[in-house]
Amino acid sequence: ELLRLQRLTGALWDDGYEVSQRRELFLQQAGQKSTLLGMVARGLLCLDKHDRIGAVTLKHRLEEAAAAAALEAKKTQEMAAAAALLKIKEEEAVTAAAEAMRKKEAAAAAHAAVVAETKRKEEEQHAAAVVKREKEEEEERAAAAAKREEEELAAAEDAIAAAAKWEEEKRAAAAAKLEEEERAAAAGTSTHEQGETLLKAAKDGNTDTVRMLLQDNDPNLLRFVDKKGQSSLSLAARYGRDEVAKMLVEA
């Protein structure tokens, strides 16, 4: 029987059956026997069936475990991707914060530069204004000094002219006095007294006395001067005796 089954197995080999198929056919043939071989074959078939069920269950469990592992790996990958994305976002946030800080520092530096430039310009303007004011004050002082010099020069010239005029008048008065004295000495004491009277009348504005003294038409009387060299016309003009002065001019 065993030899017959072996020959059957060999035929199965020749027909190209799989090992599991050959084994199953062999056990089915053997299990049809009522002998001990049949009992063993039937027991082996039961074991194979049980193994197949267990294998399917194990396969399912392995597939579930693989699926769970794949899911876990997927979750791990997703978490890793999320962590990587979070890290990228954090790096981007850090970069953005650094860029914002850099821009803020640049803006602060630019503002400080603008403030410094503005302050420098204001200081330059202030210094220019001070220099301009000092220059204007210096020009004003120079103008005032020049004006004072001109005034002093004009005053000196006026003083010189006045002194020259006074000297000239003094010399003329002295000459006139000398001439009058000579004429008075020649004419006698009466001319001197009349001259003194005319001087006093011209000074006081006594027109009657002046008119009476001028009736003689004595030129020496009109040229008579006092000790200061003042004539009757000078005294009339000095003291505002206009009518007397007019009479003297006409004489």
Side-chain angles (χ1 to χ4, degrees):
E1 187 68 14
L2 287 175
L3 290 174
R4 191 179 69 80
L5 292 175
Q6 288 177 356
R7 285 195 297 274
L8 177 62
T9 305
L12 292 174
W13 274 103
D14 294 337
D15 292 337
Y17 284 89
E18 295 293 335
V19 175
S20 60
Q21 292 175 342
R22 288 197 304 272
R23 184 175 185 279
E24 185 176 358
L25 289 174
F26 175 78
L27 292 176
Q28 286 177 357
Q29 289 292 332
Q32 293 177 1
K33 303 298 181 178
S34 60
T35 60
L36 179 60
L37 179 60
M39 294 177 62
V40 172
R42 287 191 295 274
L44 290 174
L45 285 174
C46 291
L47 289 175
D48 288 344
K49 183 177 180 181
H50 184 270
D51 289 341
R52 283 196 298 273
I53 295 172
V56 170
T57 304
L58 180 60
K59 181 180 179 182
H60 288 168
R61 290 180 179 177
L62 290 175
E63 289 176 353
E64 291 176 355
L71 182 61
E72 187 68 22
K74 184 178 180 181
K75 289 182 178 180
T76 303
Q77 291 177 355
E78 290 178 352
M79 291 177 64
L85 181 61
L86 181 60
K87 185 176 181 181
I88 292 172
K89 289 183 178 180
E90 289 178 352
E91 291 176 353
E92 290 177 352
V94 171
T95 304
E99 182 67 17
M101 181 61 69
R102 185 187 65 78
K103 289 182 179 179
K104 185 177 180 181
E105 292 176 352
H111 178 69
V114 170
V115 171
E117 183 66 18
T118 304
K119 185 177 181 181
R120 185 184 64 79
K121 289 182 178 179
E122 290 177 353
E123 291 176 351
E124 290 179 354
Q125 292 177 356
H126 179 69
V130 171
V131 171
K132 183 178 179 181
R133 186 168 61 253
E134 291 178 352
K135 187 176 180 180
E136 290 176 352
E137 292 176 354
E138 184 66 24
E139 291 177 352
E140 290 177 356
R141 287 194 294 270
K147 186 176 180 181
R148 282 196 302 272
E149 290 178 358
E150 292 178 357
E151 292 176 351
E152 290 175 357
L153 181 60
E157 291 176 351
D158 293 341
I160 292 172
K165 185 178 180 181
W166 181 77
E167 287 292 336
E168 185 179 355
E169 290 179 352
K170 185 177 180 181
R171 284 194 299 270
K177 184 177 181 181
L178 180 60
E179 186 179 355
E180 181 65 26
E181 287 177 353
E182 290 176 353
R183 284 196 303 270
T189 317
S190 59
T191 304
H192 180 76
E193 292 177 354
Q194 290 179 358
E196 292 290 343
T197 304
L198 181 62
L199 291 174
K200 186 176 185 307
K203 180 178 179 182
D204 296 336
N206 192 341
T207 56
D208 295 335
T209 303
V210 172
R211 187 178 297 108
M212 182 185 66
L213 292 172
L214 292 176
Q215 288 177 356
D216 296 336
N217 294 324
D218 186 0
N220 292 327
L221 188 61
L222 293 173
R223 288 193 292 269
F224 186 80
V225 294
D226 59 7
K227 295 179 181 180
K228 295 181 180 180
Q230 299 178 108
S231 64
S232 57
L233 181 60
S234 299
L235 290 172
R238 180 178 179 185
Y239 289 98
R241 311 305 182 186
D242 296 337
E243 188 174 354
V244 173
K246 184 177 179 181
M247 293 170 60
L248 293 170
V249 171
E250 290 176 355

